[in-house]
Amino acid sequence: MRVIIKQDKQTVAEWAAQYVVYKINHFRPSAKKPFVLGLPTGSTPLGMYAELIKLHKAGKVSFENVVTFNMDEYLGLEPTHPQSYHYFMFENFFNHIDIQHKNIHILDGMTKDYAKECRNYEQTIKDIGGVHLFIGGVGEDGHIAFNEPFSSLESRTRIKTLTDSTIKANSRFFDGDISKVPIQALTVGVGTITDAQEVMILATGANKAPALKQAIEGGISHVCTLSVLQRHPHGIILCDRDAASALEQATIDYFLEIEKNNF
């Protein structure tokens, strides 16, 4: 597992965007051989999306032959709802790049058959050959996507009931009103994420520091689903100084030293 520590959230966003562009361009995607990208929502990746839009408009990258799969979606929110993840992705990213709509995949939070929707999502990922790079954020309790503590590390796309702490954290997107936050969501599983050839998790802010400490310096545990990255052959945690602040100084020094000459 690589741990890349940047100064602040802006430099995290810039590095993440540059890395995505590098991976796409190095792959040289085509209509018959698309690059497959897993994408997150939430406040953490907003800077990365803004940087990717800039790079696209500058002619540095095309998304025409990129296929995307989003991590999750709230249950019961129409795609046009301002807090749905459909709306988030189009408003903050897809509407500003040259991606083909047929290549965008987001779970349907309005489905009446949750199990079928989740099975079909997994099958679509499988049929295209899997995800090349899955990007995600992390919750304060160490969860990735909506795989809350005690989720199976082999879990697949499924319906999940959200914890009170997650609902409270996400209420900031719903005018601070907890009652407006959906209590369930469809989410890719931990196993779905780690099936990707490469996984990159973004973390910024001191509130993420305890989760990173547990994931990096603790053991692999379903209590902190991010910790599963320890056993992934190509896992990256990209964080700022604040998010890394709970790590032992020796840990910080080690990763700064070994990454100083890397991309």
Side-chain angles (χ1 to χ4, degrees):
M1 178 174 63
R2 295 177 65 187
V3 178
I4 299 168
I5 304 169
K6 295 298 178 181
Q7 187 61 36
D8 51 35
K9 65 180 181 180
Q10 180 57 35
T11 50
V12 165
E14 292 168 358
W15 195 97
Q18 291 283 356
Y19 192 70
V20 171
V21 169
Y22 164 77
K23 296 297 289 188
I24 293 172
N25 290 342
H26 183 73
F27 188 83
R28 296 184 179 179
S30 64
K32 292 184 178 180
K33 191 190 74 170
F35 186 82
V36 185
L37 192 59
L39 295 175
T41 54
S43 56
T44 302
L46 280 173
M48 178 188 70
Y49 289 141
E51 291 297 320
L52 284 171
I53 292 166
K54 289 180 187 177
L55 291 167
H56 166 66
K57 291 183 175 179
K60 303 294 185 181
V61 65
S62 170
F63 294 90
E64 183 179 4
N65 294 312
V66 173
V67 172
T68 65
F69 289 89
N70 262 80
M71 280 188 154
D72 38 35
E73 178 60 287
Y74 285 119
L75 277 183
L77 294 189
E78 296 277 359
T80 54
H81 190 288
Q83 298 307 328
S84 75
Y85 291 157
H86 278 77
Y87 186 92
F88 176 99
M89 289 305 303
F90 279 90
E91 186 75 8
N92 293 294
F93 191 41
F94 294 145
N95 285 340
H96 310 283
I97 58 174
D98 62 342
I99 193 168
Q100 300 181 71
H101 280 214
K102 68 177 183 178
N103 287 342
I104 297 169
H105 300 87
I106 307 177
L107 285 156
D108 180 9
M110 297 301 294
T111 183
K112 301 300 181 184
D113 190 337
Y114 311 140
K116 182 179 180 181
E117 174 70 10
C118 293
R119 284 197 307 271
N120 289 346
Y121 208 67
E122 288 279 340
Q123 190 62 48
T124 303
I125 294 173
K126 182 178 179 180
D127 289 346
I128 204 167
V131 176
H132 295 110
L133 173 61
F134 221 132
I135 304 169
V138 59
E140 293 182 21
D141 57 8
H143 73 260
I144 49 177
F146 276 127
N147 296 289
E148 309 276 19
F150 305 107
S151 293
S152 168
L153 299 184
E154 303 298 328
S155 56
R156 314 305 303 186
T157 303
R158 67 208 187 284
I159 185 173
K160 278 287 292 170
T161 298
L162 308 183
T163 63
D164 288 346
S165 61
T166 296
I167 292 171
K168 182 179 179 180
N170 289 357
S171 67
R172 68 188 187 278
F173 302 116
F174 293 81
D175 302 319
D177 188 344
I178 291 177
S179 67
K180 293 180 181 179
V181 185
I183 62 172
Q184 291 182 309
L186 299 181
T187 183
V188 295
V190 180
T192 314
I193 296 168
T194 56
D195 274 355
Q197 291 182 19
E198 191 169 8
V199 180
M200 180 169 67
I201 301 298
L202 313 179
T204 58
N207 60 323
K208 303 298 175 67
L212 261 62
K213 182 174 180 61
Q214 186 173 359
I216 296 167
E217 296 179 336
I220 298 173
S221 170
H222 62 180
V223 176
C224 174
T225 53
L226 175 59
S227 66
V228 75
L229 243 61
Q230 292 183 29
R231 70 183 190 194
H232 196 284
H234 300 290
I236 299 172
I237 293 178
L238 172 59
C239 62
D240 64 5
R241 286 277 188 172
D242 286 342
S245 60
L247 297 174
E248 297 292 332
Q249 188 59 49
T251 303
I252 294 171
D253 292 343
Y254 170 79
F255 284 112
L256 288 175
E257 180 180 350
I258 65 170
E259 291 292 343
K260 63 184 178 183
N261 295 318
N262 290 336
F263 176 90

